[in-house]
């Protein structure tokens, strides 16, 4: 093991990391296997792992492991390293900040980058109204603080959340997350006052056969019925992902978000849009709620916000954000200076570059390669998503019974060939694609061909 560590190359420039897939050993290779055995000796089994390879360097669309394999990255560390895992701007800004200071605690003494990040988010999140921002470190913290702020501002307790929702792993956000295994299993009891209702799932809604408008109408009627049952005047917030992440990359039927906006307004409920996975350019617009022309009263950012340095944000109407008593919000590491510098580098990349165009080009290439599989194979129920947040769902034709076994086999085939894919969904029957927005077109095409071949091999041809 010491040999592996000692021979790891020094921090070479990521620009020199070849942007091509390369298999030097089987995956995982012998060094990864040895390191994984060490991990098992020292790290809790409570953490799962998608692909047990140990990464030596990463950048662009490539993860290079300790055995010298170059793996195509269709995960971005779960939608985090959108501008690449060793982006030059991020490295330079963070390195310069490291020379100055690592931390003061913004609640003790202040630094300007925190304000600059807040200002940019106030200007760029949806909603043409006066805003303030609070910075934290993790997505779950942002969700928790949004609930704190909404409760403080409204004097109400209840929070409406949706089927298939994912909001985090802390105690409150576990309660808000839908799926029990693995996220909530054995971890209760959970905080009270969380109420769940149906979302507008275009594939699986009972109204699906009648078309998307019926799906939206049925889901909105369900929301009104749930609110009526629990007392609409008791709800502080409704929290919704504009495209569901862990729950299955479900794009809500058109008009659903706008309908929620109207319902929230009618009942004085704070609409919190959890853009933690779908935001920061992932779907081809800066925030995914822009596709539906909807602005939350509060918008949450995290994941891609600082390209891998932990940072999250709650951005909302000034009157809500300032309703909290002074000292009521904060955290030791909230808006850490290294993370704020990384976020400023991300903002520069969005302002100077073609990242939103890249996301749309990724969608076009993936759609061309994968959408025909719905017709060509027996078990691909749907290809869906927006920008570089795309998914393939496997299910029995007709019944839509989920086929997690196929998603698992497709992943295994991709992993063996050096393409990192993730699964998601309540039933684990969905492959999701989250490539970095900076992945090159040839690398993307190579990864998509591997994925396409793996799906054809696992899902079989369509019955004629
Ligand atoms: C990942 C995620 C979270 C939780 O973020 P953490 O940083 O893991 O706490 C919350 N909401 C959504 C939509 C997410 O994808």
């Amino acid at each position: 093991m010491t040999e592996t560590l000692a021979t790891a190359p020094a921090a070479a420039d990521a620009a020199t990391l070849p942007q091509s897939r390369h298999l030097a050993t089987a995956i995982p290779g012998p060094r990864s296997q040895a390191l994984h055995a060490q991990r098992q000796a020292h790290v809790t089994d409570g953490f799962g792992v998608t692909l047990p390879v140990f990464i030596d360097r990463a950048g662009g669309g490539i993860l290079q492991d300790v055995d010298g394999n170059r793996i195509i990255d269709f995960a971005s560390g779960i939608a985090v390293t959108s501008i690449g895992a060793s982006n030059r701007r991020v490295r330079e800004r963070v390195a310069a900040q490291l020379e100055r200071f690592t931390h003061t605690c913004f609640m003790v003494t202040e630094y300007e980058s925190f304000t600059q990040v807040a200002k940019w988010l106030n200007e760029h999140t949806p909603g043409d109204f006066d805003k303030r921002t609070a910075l934290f470190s993790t997505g779950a913290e942002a969700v928790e603080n949004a609930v704190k702020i909404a409760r403080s501002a409204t004097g109400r307790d209840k929070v409406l959340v949706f089927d298939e929702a994912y909001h985090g792993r802390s105690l409150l956000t576990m309660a808000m997350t839908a799926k029990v295994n693995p996220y909530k299993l054995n971890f209760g009891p959970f905080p009270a006052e969380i109420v769940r209702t149906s979302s507008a799932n275009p594939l699986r809604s009972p109204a699906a056969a009648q078309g998307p408008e019926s799906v939206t109408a049925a889901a909105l009627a369900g929301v009104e019925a749930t609110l009526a049952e629990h007392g609409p005047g008791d709800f502080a917030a409704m929290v919704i992902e504009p495209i569901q992440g862990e729950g299955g990359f479900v794009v809500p039927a058109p008009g659903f978000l706008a309908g929620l906006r109207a319902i929230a307004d009618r009942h004085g409920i704070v609409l919190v849009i959890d853009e933690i996975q779908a935001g920061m350019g992932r779907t081809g617009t800066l925030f995914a709620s822009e596709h539906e022309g909807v602005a939350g009263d509060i918008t949450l950012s995290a994941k891609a916000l600082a390209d891998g340095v932990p940072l999250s944000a709650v951005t909302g109407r000034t009157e809500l954000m300032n309703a909290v008593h002074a000292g009521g919000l904060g955290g030791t590491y909230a808006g850490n200076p290294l993370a704020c510098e990384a976020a400023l580098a991300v903002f520069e990349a969005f302002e100077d570059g073609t990242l939103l165009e890249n996301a749309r080009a990724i969608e076009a290439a993936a759609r061309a390669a994968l959408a025909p599989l719905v017709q060509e194979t027996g078990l691909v129920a749907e290809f869906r998503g927006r920008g570089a947040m795309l998914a393939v769902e496997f299910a029995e034709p007709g019944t839509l019974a989920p086929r997690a076994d196929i998603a698992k086999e497709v992943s295994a085939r991709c992993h063996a060939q050096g393409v990192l894919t993730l699964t998601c969904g309540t039933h684990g029957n969905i492959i999701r694609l989250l490539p970095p927005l900076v992945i090159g077109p040839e690398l993307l095409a190579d990864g998509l061909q591997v994925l396409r071949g793996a799906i054809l091999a696992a899902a079989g041809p369509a019955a004629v």
Side-chain angles (χ1 to χ4, degrees):
M1 281 322 80
T2 43
E3 191 230 356
T4 300
L5 294 175
T7 55
D13 191 326
T16 65
L17 185 59
Q19 294 294 305
S20 60
R21 183 166 59 102
H22 174 70
L23 297 184
T25 68
I27 291 180
R31 287 184 166 194
S32 277
Q33 288 183 35
L35 289 170
H36 190 71
Q38 292 278 309
R39 166 213 155 118
Q40 285 177 312
H42 300 294
V43 179
T44 168
D45 287 343
F47 275 65
V49 63
T50 301
L51 178 61
V53 303
F54 282 71
I55 300 306
D56 179 43
R57 293 172 58 195
I62 287 289
L63 301 162
Q64 181 168 289
D65 74 12
V66 291
D67 292 287
N69 298 300
R70 289 197 304 274
I71 297 167
I72 298 181
D73 183 6
F74 278 177
S76 303
I78 316 188
V80 169
T81 52
S82 289
I83 64 167
S86 50
N87 183 282
R88 182 184 52 79
R89 291 174 201 264
V90 174
R91 287 183 292 126
E92 285 176 2
R93 272 195 174 264
V94 173
Q97 180 59 41
L98 265 174
E99 293 295 320
R100 297 169 61 223
F101 58 92
T102 55
H103 174 84
T104 68
C105 186
F106 195 72
M107 303 178 302
V108 176
T109 56
E110 301 169 305
Y111 39 91
E112 190 185 356
S113 55
F114 192 116
T115 311
Q116 290 173 329
V117 172
K119 178 172 187 281
W120 194 92
L121 287 169
N122 294 342
E123 289 169 358
H124 289 84
T125 48
D128 190 14
F129 42 77
D130 200 47
K131 297 175 200 144
R132 294 290 185 274
T133 285
L135 300 180
F136 301 96
S137 304
T138 68
E141 260 186 300
V143 175
E144 293 235 358
N145 278 283
V147 171
K148 284 168 66 173
I149 291 162
R151 284 182 174 168
S152 180
T154 60
R156 305 171 176 186
D157 295 340
K158 287 181 182 158
V159 178
L160 188 73
V161 294
F162 293 86
D163 286 342
E164 329 268 25
Y166 182 87
H167 296 295
R169 292 175 181 268
S170 64
L171 207 54
L172 177 62
T173 58
M174 267 194 288
M176 297 169 67
T177 290
K179 188 176 176 179
V180 171
N181 191 358
Y183 306 119
K184 306 162 77 158
L185 191 67
N186 302 331
F187 295 143
F190 299 109
E193 311 300 351
I194 307 297
V195 177
R196 191 174 308 283
T197 192
S198 293
S199 59
N201 183 326
L203 181 67
R204 292 182 173 276
S205 157
Q210 285 88 268
E213 279 167 29
S214 301
V215 170
T216 298
L220 290 173
V223 169
E224 284 284 25
T226 304
L227 291 175
E229 182 186 345
H230 293 268
D234 289 347
F235 281 82
M238 53 174 82
V239 185
I240 180 104
E241 296 157 88
I243 297 180
Q244 289 181 319
E246 311 301 300
F249 277 35
V250 181
V251 185
F256 182 61
L257 286 182
L260 288 182
R261 175 72 274 175
I263 292 172
D265 288 342
R266 194 146 61 238
H267 298 299
I269 300 170
V270 177
L271 179 64
V272 179
I273 302 200
D274 179 349
E275 294 259 11
I276 289 171
Q277 188 155 163
M280 291 309 295
R282 174 57 48 192
T283 67
T285 52
L286 207 42
F287 291 91
S289 43
E290 293 171 38
H291 292 285
E292 294 288 317
V294 171
D297 301 303
I298 291 178
T299 298
L300 307 180
S301 311
K303 289 198 162 85
L305 178 57
D307 200 40
V309 189
L311 187 68
S312 64
V314 181
T315 302
R317 290 181 186 277
T318 300
E319 59 272 28
L320 299 174
M321 300 298 295
N322 285 349
V324 180
H325 56 283
L329 303 177
T332 305
Y333 298 114
N336 170 271
L338 300 170
C340 287
E341 289 294 332
L344 293 174
V346 169
F347 301 159
E348 283 169 13
F350 273 101
E351 276 164 16
D352 299 353
T354 56
L355 293 168
L356 299 180
E357 290 90 323
N358 295 6
R360 295 194 282 266
I362 289 168
E363 176 177 348
R367 196 169 285 285
L370 303 176
L373 290 167
V374 176
Q375 257 72 53
E376 292 169 38
T377 72
L379 297 170
V380 175
E382 195 170 59
F383 170 82
R384 62 169 173 263
R386 277 180 167 142
M389 185 170 187
L390 301 164
V392 182
E393 176 156 354
F394 300 99
E396 289 291 336
T399 66
L400 287 182
R403 289 292 300 269
D405 57 323
I406 302 296
K408 205 179 243 176
E409 187 185 336
V410 170
S411 282
R413 286 174 181 272
C414 286
H415 295 173
Q417 293 175 79
V419 176
L420 177 60
T421 53
L422 300 173
T423 56
C424 67
T426 303
H427 306 285
N429 62 320
I430 297 160
I431 297 271
R432 57 170 151 172
L433 300 185
L434 290 165
L437 303 182
V438 295
I439 192 170
E442 296 84 17
L443 196 61
L444 175 67
D446 181 27
L448 288 172
Q449 279 319 305
V450 170
L451 175 59
R452 192 182 142 76
I455 293 173
L456 282 167
V464 261

